């Protein structure tokens, strides 16, 4: 008890020592001095830091990042997103797939006709943007020619909208793959000026369970004329081409893994990055 | 005097053996008992009483039945070995002590988080933090354990002290039994060369001498006889002690104590039962760990709660918690401290200080009081002729170890006569086969004073053996305590001279009594009153110097009375022993070692109080103390003042005397306050005639006054004090095994001067550890800031847990250790010892410098350098700083594979993670770059680097090593998988350079201000 009291008293005097007018062991002027010191110290440091950051910003280009070796080759991303690479819903429960249809509707808003009709914005950007009107027209066509997303979900149809990630000044294919690395199933899909996309079952045993896969878009792939992308500053309204994939007859109540891949000269794949030039997704549709 | 002259003796009588229960009572009271004097009373009893007490018989000994009964009652006659901690406990202590608990918690939390992730996802993030953390704890734990084990396995010796066999008489028959089976009441016989099997009361002895040096510190063998000669059992002649050696003769005695009850056993129990406090450095490190742990847990929990409040999932919050704890704990620091101490210990071993306990290295540096033993430590431990008196004049002999001292006039005829007497009347001789050795190093058979004379004569007059051959010995009366002289009769050198030469040496007053003439300038003169007074004065003066004085005389026996072939009868003296011719006096002392006065002086200028504690007589002790400067010139004791002023001692104000010689018997009667008074008010103290228990009391007294005490000693009697001291220093050559075991440090050359080297090293390592810690902490703190910004501003994580470990355990280690090689900044032996209460290893200023900077916006040069590199990499990859704020949720969302950067590019999860990990690598490299400047800064605490220079080669190596390691971690293929570190573009290495330069300039300015303005505001606020 005694010791307790003592230490309590010591603590209290440490917080406020009325004898020496000390707060936390320092007098007012001492606090002021140390405060001023730290203000100046940190002021200088902050100034120097901001200075170096400014210097850094001066070295950067407004149009193109300094390094692109990490962002290329481009990723292949899809809407709706999978959660832990799984898309699972129940046919009988509308709420279970609502988040997927909502995500798609939201995503396609940007491609709506009325937003693309504002011609002024697109024709302002000089020679490089000549293809603009046509491009957006085709985009709209893509969208309108595909059955409304979500509509199919309750009839065993699952939809994915796929896009190739944007990379500034990156020509995704240059030309479509012609060499023998291309697998046979791809050959009928090969067209000039098109980056083909193809999906198939990831596991051998699922081969007869995934049913028919249909590709909707500008010719079952990504047309090359939409590339390259010139960056936010030059292409503020740029919309990248989309491919809608329809899975028509997935076996119910079973986990099915499907892998989609794009093929092109500058497209690469990585062991670790499962979204680089390809992706795989798990469907689990309950009846 | 009398039966109850002190408390302890009264206690002793009540504590008689029969009253004591055989089972030992444990506890504090027991300890106090042990500190009191030895409770033996048997020496004052008659033999019959002793026999009655133990129901034994003086001739027949115990009966076998009785012996068996006693054996069961008292237990075997062996010392209980000191309790040892099992190895696995020691190992666990290393594994779970210090920061380890914190790291284990982190590892377990990490593992749990991972397990939960693994359970909920089929593809959990490959998080190996928990494995790395566990590995870190286990490796550092093993490292410390092996370090400790290596230094602690030096000696285990109590067992060896128990004699193997003992000769006992039971039922009238002599039997050789195992010494462990000896019981109280046994009649035992010992002979020269034996170890005494137990404490025995001598009942009969024939020329028996025992060597009690391991018990009392007295080096002269002492004779044993059945008579009680002293009240004190330790000084009486009729008791021989357990584990001492019988040197010569035989004795028979009754066992009175066995095993732990023996005097030696009590000391051993006292020693092993003493609780030694933590070493100062251990306290410092504990203090430091408390601070760090407190801050880590506080910050961790704060941010854990904050994270929960901000809406993070609890799993994420746990990960933040681990991150902050890992960032906060300087994982490598304890290992660094251990390595630094080991390095110093190695360096000290080269200078003859063997350190048993690593932490003792630093303790020596903070020592404020040294209680030094006299014999062997301060002195050379060999008697040497120091002065001679002949021709009515005192001559000084050379006592230095290397014969570099002053010499005296050796041409006087008197000196030649004196030398002849000293050489002839002397039984000592050199042992064979050491002709190549210098005279002083040769071994001598014979007692200490005779050896001293022998060496002195051999040095000044050449071969003594030749002289003895020329003067053949005819008869001899050896020294005995009734005559107090020794004489011998020799033939003369001159073959034509048929007279016999009688030479005598002995106690000066006895020798003088036998003389009627005195030799002055080679001429015999009658011994008149004037010359007698001169003799008295010389005798007094030499005695006052604490020296052992011997008188010498000779006579040439007249040929007519003692013709050639005269049969000298030494038993019934049939020749002249009166009217001899006095030649001179020679006095001997165990002279101080040459280096000691200098070392004592150094200690004094280093603010260390040197106290002499010895079992020797006060006069000798004082003389040596004056000789080595423990009592400095001009300082007087109370007795000196009294003598000078010619007033009684009681009238002198003790405060006037700076010096003090305190007698052991006085010490017994002192209360604690009086003791404190002595220790506080006298700067120069000598304790003489002290017992082992008193040594302990002295040490405790010093410690009570807040001193950090070093004790030197060599005997068993010193071991309790050695153990109790903050640092016990045992002697490597003369020290007993027990003292070595109790000590923390061993002086291999027994030289006090080595302690001073040790002090210097200890102080240096304290300074350098401060530097190491400052260095480690300044890189440790910026490791927290990335987490804080990550949580608060929602930017991608700038520095990962693995990278933090890479800094703490990888790149920071060698530079931090290299600081241990740093040379001293100023003369560290000119300043006061550190105050353990004020001068901390880690003071609040260091903490406030280190942590003060995170409180305010996490700005400090290390963190800024790292953040700059982080922003550079992200910006050059497309994420400008403005885009980053608030991006965290999407950034860490695995399902988001089209995250847009400032330029409109879209990133997959893995792509941006690689950039993030590249940022971690860059942050790491930036810290390394700023640490270059930091290690150069930390080299000095006051001087500029330009004053100190870059002579520390290890430090330069450390700089290269840390850079090479950083480059390796960044560029080695496979690191992206193993540690998630990625190659950096060359330009990113330079991001932190401005900050490195900045921190260097800032610190040079700070140190300049400290130097320009000592004690000023800058020093008060920023000097650590």
């Amino acid at each position: 008890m005694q010791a307790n009291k003592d230490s309590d008293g010591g603590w209290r005097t440490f917080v406020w020592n009325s004898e020496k007018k000390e707060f936390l062991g320092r007098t007012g002027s001492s606090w002021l001095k140390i405060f001023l010191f730290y203000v100046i110290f940190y002021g200088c440091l902050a100034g120097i830091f901001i200075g170096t950051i400014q210097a850094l910003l001066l070295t950067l280009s407004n149009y193109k990042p300094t390094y692109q070796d990490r962002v290329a080759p481009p990723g292949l991303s899809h809407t709706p997103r999978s959660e832990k690479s799984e898309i699972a819903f129940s046919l009988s429960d509308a709420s279970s797939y609502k988040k997927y249809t909502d995500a798609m509707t939201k995503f396609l808003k940007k491609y709506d006709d009325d937003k693309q009709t504002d011609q002024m914005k697109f024709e302002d950007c000089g020679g490089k943007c000549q293809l603009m009107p046509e491009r957006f027209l085709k985009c709209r066509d893509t969208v309108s020619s595909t059955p409304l997303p979500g509509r199919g979900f309750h009839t065993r149809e699952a939809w994915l909208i796929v896009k190739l990630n944007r990379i500034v000044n990156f020509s995704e294919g240059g030309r479509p793959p012609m060499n023998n690395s291309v697998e046979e199933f791809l050959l009928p899909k090969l067209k000039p000026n098109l980056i083909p996309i193809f999906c198939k079952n990831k596991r051998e045993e699922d081969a007869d369970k995934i049913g028919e896969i249909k590709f909707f878009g500008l010719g079952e792939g990504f047309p090359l004329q939409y590339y390259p992308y010139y960056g936010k500053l030059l292409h503020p309204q740029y919309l990248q081409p989309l491919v809608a994939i329809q899975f028509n007859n997935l076996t119910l109540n079973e986990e099915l893994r499907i892998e989609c891949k794009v093929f092109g000269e500058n497209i690469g794949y990585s062991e670790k990055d499962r979204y680089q030039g390809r992706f795989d997704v798990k469907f689990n549709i309950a009846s | 005097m009398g039966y109850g002259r002190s408390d302890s003796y009264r206690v002793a009588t009540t504590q008689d053996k029969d009253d004591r229960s055989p089972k030992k009572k444990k506890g504090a009271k027991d300890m106090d008992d042990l500190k009191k004097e030895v409770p033996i009373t048997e020496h004052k009893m008659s033999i019959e009483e002793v026999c009655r007490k133990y129901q034994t018989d003086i001739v027949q000994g115990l009966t076998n039945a009785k012996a068996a009964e006693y054996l069961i009652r008292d237990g075997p006659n062996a010392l209980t070995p000191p309790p040892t901690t099992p190895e696995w406990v020691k190992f666990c202590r290393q594994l779970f002590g210090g920061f380890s608990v914190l790291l284990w918690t982190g590892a377990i939390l990490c593992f749990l988080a991972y397990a939960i992730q693994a359970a909920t996802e089929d593809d959990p993030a490959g998080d190996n933090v928990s494995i790395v953390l566990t590995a870190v704890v286990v490796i550092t734990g093993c490292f410390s354990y092996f370090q400790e084990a290596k230094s602690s396995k030096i000696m285990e010796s109590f067992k060896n002290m128990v004699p193997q066999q003992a000769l006992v008489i039971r039922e009238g028959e002599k039997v050789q039994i195992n010494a462990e089976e000896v019981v109280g009441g046994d009649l035992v016989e010992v002979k020269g060369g034996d170890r005494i099997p137990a404490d025995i009361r001598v009942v009969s002895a024939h020329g028996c001498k025992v060597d009690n040096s391991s018990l009392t510190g007295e080096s002269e063998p002492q004779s044993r006889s059945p008579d009680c000669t002293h009240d004190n059992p330790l000084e009486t002649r009729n008791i021989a002690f357990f584990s001492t050696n019988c040197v010569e003769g035989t004795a028979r005695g009754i066992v009175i104590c066995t095993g732990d009850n023996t005097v030696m056993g009590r000391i051993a129990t006292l020693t092993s039962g003493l609780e030694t406090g933590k070493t100062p450095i251990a306290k410092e490190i504990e203090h430091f760990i408390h601070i760090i742990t407190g801050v880590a847990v506080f910050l961790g929990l704060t941010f854990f709660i904050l994270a929960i409040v901000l809406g993070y999932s609890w799993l994420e919050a746990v990960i933040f918690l681990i991150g902050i704890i890992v960032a906060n704990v300087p994982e490598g620091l304890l290992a660094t401290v251990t390595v630094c101490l080991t390095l110093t210990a190695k360096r000290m071993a080269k200078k003859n200080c063997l350190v048993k306990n690593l932490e003792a290295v630093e303790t020596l540096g903070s020592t404020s009081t040294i209680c030094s033993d006299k014999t062997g430590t301060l002195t050379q431990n060999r008697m040497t002729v120091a002065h001679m008196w002949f021709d009515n004049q005192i001559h000084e002999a050379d006592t230095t170890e290397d014969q570099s001292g002053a010499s005296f006039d050796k041409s006087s005829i008197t000196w030649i006569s004196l030398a002849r007497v000293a050489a002839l009347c002397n039984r000592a001789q050199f042992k064979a086969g050491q002709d190549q050795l210098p005279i002083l190093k040769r071994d001598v058979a014979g007692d200490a004073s005779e050896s001293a004379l022998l060496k002195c004569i051999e040095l000044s007059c050449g071969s003594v053996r030749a002289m003895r051959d020329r003067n053949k010995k005819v008869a001899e009366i050896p020294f005995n305590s009734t005559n107090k002289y020794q004489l011998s009769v020799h033939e003369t050198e001159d073959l034509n001279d048929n007279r016999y030469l009688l030479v005598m040496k002995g106690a000066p007053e006895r020798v003088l009594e036998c003389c009627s003439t005195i030799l002055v300038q080679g001429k015999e003169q009658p011994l008149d009153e004037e010359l007698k007074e001169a003799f008295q004065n010389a005798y007094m003066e030499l005695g006052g110097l604490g020296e052992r004085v011997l008188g010498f005389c000779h006579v040439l026996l007249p040929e007519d009375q003692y013709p050639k072939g005269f049969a000298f009868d030494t038993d019934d003296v049939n020749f002249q022993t009166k009217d001899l011719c006095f030649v001179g006096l020679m006095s001997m002392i165990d002279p101080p070692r040459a280096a000691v006065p200098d070392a004592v002086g150094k200690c004094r200028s280093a603010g260390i109080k040197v106290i002499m504690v010895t079992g020797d007589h006060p006069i000798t002790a004082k003389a040596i103390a004056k000789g080595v400067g423990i009592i400095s010139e001009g300082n007087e004791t109370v007795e000196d003042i009294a003598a000078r002023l010619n007033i009684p001692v009681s009238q002198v104000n003790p405060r006037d005397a700076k010096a003090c010689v305190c007698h052991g018997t006085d010490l017994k009667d002192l209360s604690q306050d009086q003791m404190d008074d002595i220790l506080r008010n006298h700067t120069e103290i000598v304790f003489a005639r002290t017992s082992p228990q008193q040594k302990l009391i002295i040490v405790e007294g010093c410690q009570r006054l807040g001193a950090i005490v070093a004790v030197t000693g060599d005997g068993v009697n010193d071991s309790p004090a050695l153990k109790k001291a903050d640092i016990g220093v045992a002697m490597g050559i003369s020290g007993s095994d027990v003292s070595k075991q109790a000590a923390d440090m061993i002086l291999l050359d027994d030289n006090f001067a080595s302690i001073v080297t040790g002090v210097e090293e200890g102080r240096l390592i304290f300074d350098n550890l401060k530097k190491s810690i400052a260095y480690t902490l300044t890189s440790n703190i910026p490791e927290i800031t990335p987490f804080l910004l990550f949580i608060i501003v929602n930017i991608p994580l700038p520095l990962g847990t693995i990278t933090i470990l890479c800094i703490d355990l990888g790149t920071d280690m060698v530079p931090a250790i290299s600081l241990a090689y740093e040379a001293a900044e100023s003369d560290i032996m000119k300043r006061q010892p550190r105050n353990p209460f004020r001068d901390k290893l880690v003071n609040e200023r260091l903490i406030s410098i280190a942590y003060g900077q995170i409180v305010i916006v996490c700005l400090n040069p290390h963190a800024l350098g790292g953040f700059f590199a982080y922003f550079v990499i992200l910006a050059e990859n497309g994420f400008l700083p403005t885009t980053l704020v608030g991006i965290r949720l999407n950034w860490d969302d695995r399902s988001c594979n089209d995250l847009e950067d400032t330029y409109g590019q879209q990133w997959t999860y893995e792509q941006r993670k690689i950039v993030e990990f590249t940022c971690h690598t860059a942050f790491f490299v930036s810290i390394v770059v700023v640490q270059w400047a930091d290690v150069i800064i930390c080299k000095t605490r006051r001087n500029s680097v330009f004053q100190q220079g870059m002579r520390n080669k290890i430090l330069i190596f450390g700089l290269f090593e840390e850079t090479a390691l950083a480059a390796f971690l960044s560029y080695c293929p496979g690191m992206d998988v193993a540690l998630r570190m990625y190659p950096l573009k060359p330009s990113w290495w330079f991001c932190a350079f401005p900050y490195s330069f900045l921190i260097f300039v800032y610190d040079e300015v700070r140190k300049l201000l400290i130097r320009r303005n000592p004690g000023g505001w800058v020093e008060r606020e920023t000097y650590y």
Side-chain angles (χ1 to χ4, degrees), chain B residues 251-317:
Chain B
R252 180 180 281 209
I254 296 171
V255 174
I256 51 174
C257 296
T258 57
D260 288 331
N261 294 327
T262 59
V263 173
M264 192 70 85
R266 288 169 63 85
I267 294 174
T269 322
L270 181 58
T271 309
S272 63
L274 277 178
E275 283 185 23
T276 48
K278 286 195 173 114
T279 56
I281 191 83
K283 280 185 207 154
E284 291 293 326
I285 287 174
E286 197 179 5
H287 171 77
F288 173 69
I289 289 176
H290 281 164
I291 293 180
I292 296 286
T293 312
V295 173
V297 170
F298 172 76
L299 279 180
L301 287 181
T302 310
F303 279 88
F304 181 76
I305 293 163
L306 190 71
I308 298 272
V309 171
L310 286 177
Y312 291 98
S313 74
W314 70 268
L315 201 71
E316 281 172 305

Side-chain angles (χ1 to χ4, degrees), chain A residues 26 34 42 49 52 61 65-69 71 73 82 163 165-166 168 232 240 273 275-276 282, chain B residues 122 852-853 856 859 868 876 880 895 897-898 900 903-906 908 910-911 985 995 998 1002 1021:
Chain A
R26 284 178 189 277
I34 195 95
Y42 289 121
F49 186 68
T52 49
S61 148
T66 319
Y67 302 113
Q68 290 180 303
D69 50 347
V71 71
S82 56
K163 66 175 187 295
N165 280 354
R166 293 193 298 246
V168 173
K232 231 180 195 170
Q240 64 226 87
D273 190 350
Y275 282 90
Q276 198 166 68
K282 232 165 19 185
Chain B
D122 52 62
Q853 294 161 347
I856 318 173
L859 289 174
F868 181 58
E876 292 191 338
L880 295 190
S895 64
N897 283 295
D898 52 356
E900 263 186 52
Y903 293 91
Q905 307 187 103
Q906 291 168 322
T908 68
E910 198 58 35
Q911 284 169 341
K985 297 196 191 299
Y995 295 92
L998 182 81
Y1002 161 74
E1021 294 295 345

Side-chain angles (χ1 to χ4, degrees), chain B residues 112-218:
Chain B
L112 284 181
Y114 175 77
I116 291 166
Q117 258 182 329
T120 51
E121 282 174 48
D122 52 62
D123 182 40
D127 202 0
N128 40 7
V129 173
S130 81
I131 300 164
V132 173
L133 277 181
T134 313
V136 165
V137 180
V138 171
I139 290 170
T140 48
C142 290
F143 178 75
S144 316
Y145 171 74
F146 285 118
Q147 281 291 352
E148 199 198 41
K150 215 163 63 183
S151 53
S152 71
K153 69 170 178 202
I154 294 189
M155 265 160 284
E156 282 197 355
S157 58
F158 263 123
K159 285 177 214 129
N160 309 340
M161 290 189 60
V162 177
Q164 297 301 308
Q165 295 284 308
L167 190 67
V168 300
I169 299 163
R170 285 187 184 163
E171 297 183 346
E173 277 179 46
K174 284 187 184 178
V175 273
Q176 192 88 22
I177 59 167
N178 215 324
E180 285 197 1
E181 292 162 20
V182 173
V183 296
D186 257 332
L187 199 59
V188 296
E189 264 195 10
V190 288
K191 57 179 192 304
D194 283 354
R195 263 186 172 173
I196 315 277
D199 283 1
I200 56 176
R201 161 77 158 86
V202 177
V203 293
S204 66
H206 298 284
C208 175
K209 277 191 172 179
V210 290
D211 176 10
N212 271 358
S213 61
S214 71
L215 193 61
T216 59
E218 284 165 294

Side-chain angles (χ1 to χ4, degrees), chain B residues 236-255:
Chain B
T236 184
R237 287 226 179 126
N238 58 358
I239 290 186
F241 296 102
F242 175 55
S243 94
T244 57
N245 279 316
C246 180
V247 184
E248 57 185 60
T250 57
R252 180 180 281 209
I254 296 171
V255 174

Side-chain angles (χ1 to χ4, degrees), chain B residues 600-785:
Chain B
V600 171
K602 267 191 180 170
C603 283
R604 189 149 292 154
S605 63
I608 301 170
K609 192 165 163 181
V610 184
I611 295 177
M612 185 197 273
V613 182
T614 175
D616 218 330
H617 293 277
I619 300 171
T620 323
K622 189 174 161 190
I624 294 294
K626 283 196 164 162
V628 298
I630 286 179
I631 294 179
S632 50
E633 228 165 291
N635 274 351
E636 295 177 305
T637 63
V638 176
E639 291 78 16
D640 289 336
I641 295 176
R644 178 164 54 85
L645 300 175
N646 218 354
I647 51 171
V649 173
S650 53
Q651 284 181 20
V652 180
N653 178 5
R655 297 285 155 89
D656 292 344
K658 276 191 175 165
C660 168
V661 177
C662 196
H663 198 279
T665 47
D666 301 340
L667 209 55
K668 252 179 221 164
D669 305 326
L670 289 180
S671 69
Q672 233 176 47
D673 292 338
Q674 286 169 309
M675 179 81 192
D676 290 357
D677 201 50
I678 290 180
L679 291 172
R680 201 179 292 129
N681 292 319
H682 298 283
T683 50
E684 303 174 344
I685 309 174
V686 171
F687 289 101
R689 299 305 283 172
T690 47
S691 68
Q693 282 82 354
Q694 283 163 353
K695 279 195 180 182
L696 190 58
I697 290 168
I698 293 167
V699 172
E700 283 176 339
C702 294
Q703 286 175 333
R704 209 165 37 239
L705 296 182
I708 292 182
V709 186
V711 170
T712 70
D714 50 7
V716 173
N717 56 335
D718 298 323
S719 50
L722 288 175
K723 187 86 179 284
K724 182 70 198 174
D726 295 291
I727 175 165
V729 183
M731 298 299 137
I733 303 169
S734 62
S736 60
D737 284 355
V738 182
S739 68
K740 285 182 196 167
Q741 196 183 37
D744 305 299
M745 204 176 94
I746 295 165
L747 292 186
L748 295 177
D749 58 354
D750 286 16
N751 193 342
F752 182 80
S754 306
I755 298 181
V756 180
T757 340
V759 170
E760 202 167 344
E761 290 290 344
R763 290 188 171 189
L764 184 59
I765 197 65
F766 186 78
D767 281 7
N768 285 346
L769 275 182
K770 265 191 171 179
K771 294 173 185 176
S772 281
I773 289 175
Y775 172 80
T776 316
L777 273 190
T778 41
S779 76
N780 208 52
I781 304 311
E783 291 164 4
I784 307 171
T785 54

